[in-house]
Every structure is written in structure tokens, then in C-alpha cells.
Amino acid sequence: MIALGLEGSANKLGVGLILHPAKGGPATILSNIRHTFVSPPGEGFLPKDTAKHHRSWITRLILQALKEAGVTVADIDCICYTKGPGMGAPLQSVAITARTLSLLWGKELVGVNHCVGHIEMGREITSAQNPVVLYVSGGNTQVIAYASQRYRIFGEALDIAVGNCLDRFARTLLISNDPAPGYNIEQMAKKGRHFVDLPYAVKGMDCSFSGILASIDILADKLQNGPTEMKDEETGEPITREDLCFSLQETVYAMLVEITERAMAHVGSSQVLIVGGVGSNERLQEMMGMMAKDRGGSVFATDERFCIDNGIMIAHAGLLAYRTGFRTPLEESTCTQRFRTDEVFVKWRD
């Protein structure tokens, strides 16, 4: 079976084609195309501008994906699209495209939960068996474990997602959004030498990032506009923008490691799977790896091809559901900005 996947819940527009062998076995990625809407430094991406980008690019991306995969419309069994969660206008742009293709090509639709797409793609690529999942992106922060055909949420962000925290701080420092603000913060953090104390907000199994962002924004303003130079208390050396990026990363990732370890202890798992755009951060992977090693466990993660939003993960999760008999009727092929991970009935797993 072959599925076409369309993803556009935020500023990444992804189109992918995947093949599931009839007799089982690993999936084959036929094509995985992506195009990103990049806003100017100091600015985020507005829903209306992002939706316009998606409408402008989606046709050529679909044609490119078909050409790269070497398949025709007749070869495709179903069209999978992101139903949610995400930004309203971009989601609508992709949903309308999916409905149009369904009518034009006579193919059935499958609406896919964006978060479940990340999880299933991560499981497929890494071959992780039954891990605790840390899902971290610009719009979501969740610690998840599978039980009784649901992906259960053990902990999550109480306010803004960790990726949103990093992205908004990049705006404060006027860091480029190309290729991604979080990636550019990561590169700056590698040059940081001094740790600046920031609030540490773990509340049970949940995290809060808005206060940390407010605190480091104040420090950034003092650094850039203050009358006196900020200095490290121990060495007396000046604090730099790189030090702030380093401190922010170390603080928020330590929080994520803590709640993930607690979930591992609760469910008795020795594996961690990191998914979502922030999951491609090397420092987060390193910190999580140190924790897992101490517990005799292991960490699984993918590179930016699969961590960052993409169409292939929607195609894969959608095809898993399609093979169990799931369909999205045309009249129900809507999208929603709020679609909880634990709302999905995971029929394809025991």
C-alpha cells in the first residue's frame, strides 16, 4: 500500500509518499519533500502569512514528491492529512488540498493526529519497542507512554511549549529564523561559557516555561541596553548572548530530563524516544542519554529529516490507521487546532 501525506500545521509544509509492504516488514520512504516559511529576524510567523505560503507551494511540492517517488496517482491508496493540532489557517489550507485531491483522484481520506504522526515515525525509524516518548516542538511538550491502545500523556507544558520558549527568545535577540530559530540558538549555546541562574519550574510531572522566558528576556534587555556590563559572579568575565542561550538550554532541558526519568520509573521502561522538532537538538539528546545510561537504558532519536515536521510521518501514521479500516468521510474531513494525543484510538497496536 502507498499513502500520500500532507503536513502543514505550522510553518513547515511537508509532502511525503510511503510504501508499506503487503507482507509486512519495514516501510519504504519513497519521497519526503519540505518547504519552510521563514519570517524576518525578530518576528514570528502569522497564521495568515503561513497559510498563504502553504497555498502557494503545495501543488508544486506534491508534483515534486510524485516525480521523486516514481509513482502515479493510480498507485496511491489513500490521502493522509494533518487534522490537528496546529495553527488554524495553515491546517485549513492543507485540509482543503487533501479534500480536493480526494475528489479529483477518487481516493479515500485519513485525518491524522500530528503528535501521533511524530511518535509512529520515530518508532519506525529507530525500531524502539515500547519507549517513553518525549514529544518536544514549537507547539507541544508532552511525556507520553503507550497503554491499552492509547498514547497516554503523563506530563506536559502548563503554558507555552519548550520550542515556543526557545523561538521567542530568538526573537528577543533578533536571531535569524533561517533555517530555524531553535537551531541557531543551539549553535550559539555551544559557544556559551558561563551559566546564568534561571527559574526552574517543574510541577509534578508538568513544566512551565513562560516564567523562564520572561526572566531571560529581562536579562537580555539588561545585556543589550543596560548602563553597565553584566559579569559572571565567579570569574568576573562579561556575560554574552551565547551565555544566555547556553543557560536557557541547560535549564529547560534539565526540566525535560527530570519529568522523562520520572515517567520511565513509573511505567518501568528503559527506553526513551525523543520526537518533534526540538528533538533534533544534540544537547538535549546528550543530556537524555546520560540519564538513560545511569538507569541502564537507551535513547532513540532521529535526525532533522524526521524530527522536524514532515509529510512522511503523516503518510505513515495515516496508512497504519487505514490498514485497520479507518477512514475519514469527506463531510468529516475538517481540522482542529486542539487535538489531544490521547484522543486517538491506536487500533494498529496490541
Side-chain angles (χ1 to χ4, degrees):
M1 286 185 172
I2 295 177
L4 170 69
L6 307 175
E7 154 61 25
S9 59
N11 69 325
K12 308 286 192 303
L13 177 64
V15 177
L17 283 153
I18 198 164
L19 167 68
H20 285 189
K23 296 182 180 180
T28 301
I29 296 170
L30 304 177
S31 61
N32 188 18
I33 312 296
R34 183 168 55 217
H35 195 272
T36 304
F37 171 64
V38 179
S39 54
E43 298 182 17
F45 46 91
L46 296 174
K48 62 176 183 178
D49 297 332
T50 309
K52 183 178 179 180
H53 165 269
H54 290 1
R55 292 194 297 270
S56 300
W57 280 90
I58 195 161
T59 300
R60 69 187 89 175
L61 261 60
I62 291 170
L63 293 173
Q64 184 182 345
L66 288 169
K67 182 179 180 180
E68 183 177 302
V71 302
T72 65
V73 171
D75 299 320
I76 297 172
D77 292 280
C78 62
I79 298 170
C80 310
Y81 75 97
T82 303
K83 188 176 181 68
M87 300 171 70
L91 281 171
Q92 288 175 0
S93 298
V94 173
I96 289 171
T97 301
R99 287 197 291 271
T100 303
L101 293 179
S102 174
L103 292 171
L104 282 173
W105 295 349
K107 305 295 180 180
E108 292 183 297
L109 286 169
V110 179
V112 177
N113 180 287
H114 178 87
C115 313
V116 171
H118 272 298
I119 294 169
E120 293 301 347
M121 197 70 238
R123 290 181 62 237
E124 177 68 24
I125 295 298
T126 64
S127 299
Q129 296 303 307
N130 190 27
V132 167
V133 179
L134 175 64
Y135 171 38
V136 278
S137 68
N140 297 276
T141 300
Q142 297 175 345
V143 177
I144 301 162
Y146 174 80
S148 303
Q149 296 190 301
R150 300 273 178 179
Y151 284 115
R152 313 287 177 173
I153 300 172
F154 279 72
E156 59 192 318
L158 296 172
D159 36 47
I160 61 173
V162 63
N164 187 245
C165 176
L166 296 168
D167 291 351
R168 286 166 66 174
F169 185 58
R171 278 183 243 165
T172 299
L173 295 184
L174 299 179
I175 296 172
S176 172
N177 291 318
D178 187 18
Y183 173 81
N184 293 328
I185 279 188
E186 178 184 3
Q187 304 316 307
M188 291 180 66
K190 291 176 180 178
K191 302 174 184 177
R193 298 176 55 202
H194 306 108
F195 181 80
V196 180
D197 283 332
L198 294 170
Y200 187 93
V202 170
K203 303 180 180 182
M205 284 297 297
D206 300 322
C207 290
S208 173
F209 299 104
S210 58
I212 300 171
L213 176 62
S215 179
I216 200 165
D217 276 348
I218 293 171
L219 293 175
D221 181 63
K222 289 181 180 179
L223 179 68
Q224 298 177 126
N225 305 311
T228 59
E229 189 176 52
M230 288 179 58
K231 293 186 177 182
D232 179 65
E233 294 181 358
E234 292 185 3
T235 65
E237 296 178 344
I239 298 295
T240 64
R241 287 155 45 100
E242 288 76 11
D243 292 331
L244 294 184
C245 291
F246 166 72
S247 302
L248 179 60
Q249 275 203 166
E250 294 297 302
T251 302
V252 298
Y253 293 163
M255 292 162 55
L256 295 175
V257 170
E258 178 183 336
I259 62 173
T260 303
E261 182 175 18
R262 197 174 292 127
M264 290 175 70
H266 181 78
V267 302
S269 175
S270 61
Q271 296 181 339
V272 180
L273 172 63
I274 309 176
V275 299
V278 180
S280 60
N281 185 286
E282 294 176 356
R283 179 56 179 157
L284 174 58
Q285 293 180 14
E286 179 186 15
M287 292 172 69
M288 196 66 71
M290 293 167 63
M291 177 275 289
K293 184 179 179 181
D294 287 344
R295 297 181 60 85
S298 53
V299 172
F300 297 87
T302 63
D303 59 33
E304 59 90 24
R305 292 174 300 166
F306 306 110
C307 262
I308 297 173
D309 292 351
N310 58 86
I312 204 70
M313 71 184 196
I314 302 302
H316 178 58
L319 195 50
L320 288 173
Y322 181 82
R323 291 169 62 181
T324 69
F326 179 82
R327 308 288 189 272
T328 301
L330 189 67
E331 59 272 17
E332 296 177 15
S333 58
T334 55
C335 52
T336 173
Q337 294 182 75
R338 289 178 172 83
F339 188 5
R340 296 278 293 179
T341 311
D342 50 10
E343 290 178 30
V344 179
F345 179 61
V346 188
K347 192 175 179 180
W348 56 91
R349 290 191 65 178
D350 296 330

